[in-house]
Amino acid sequence: MVSSRTATAAVGVLASLAISVAAWVVFDIAVFFLAVPLIPLLFRRRTEEPAVYECPDCGFRTQNPEFAYCPHDGTRLEER
């Protein structure tokens, strides 16, 4: 499924291209710069999710990398 950010950027690009074509036909002027502000939204990289550390015995989970051992039973946390 397409993210809302990508869908919004795609609609914006299509709308700006439609405006550019209309301006070309009516005024005989090229205005293709309208799509330029939306281009970075299409190629933005997603940030990676932080690692999750989980206790194999009790199921304690945290995203804080400072936890090396489970606070409940002292078992070493595994990265998931």
Side-chain angles (χ1 to χ4, degrees):
M1 188 162 196
V2 178
S3 71
S4 63
R5 182 184 320 164
T6 303
T8 301
V11 168
V13 167
L14 292 175
S16 68
L17 289 175
I19 292 169
S20 298
V21 169
W24 178 264
V25 171
V26 175
F27 302 114
D28 204 25
I29 300 172
V31 288
F32 293 109
F33 63 87
L34 293 176
V36 172
L38 296 173
I39 297 297
L41 292 177
L42 292 175
F43 299 108
R44 182 181 293 176
R45 291 211 164 102
R46 295 180 187 258
T47 57
E48 291 185 20
E49 303 228 358
V52 175
Y53 303 95
E54 184 176 358
C55 176
D57 292 339
C58 71
F60 170 77
R61 297 176 63 139
T62 183
Q63 292 180 344
N64 188 347
E66 294 181 9
F67 281 92
Y69 296 93
C70 178
H72 302 290
D73 58 14
T75 306
R76 181 146 180 94
L77 299 178
E78 297 176 354
E79 185 175 344
R80 305 274 172 168

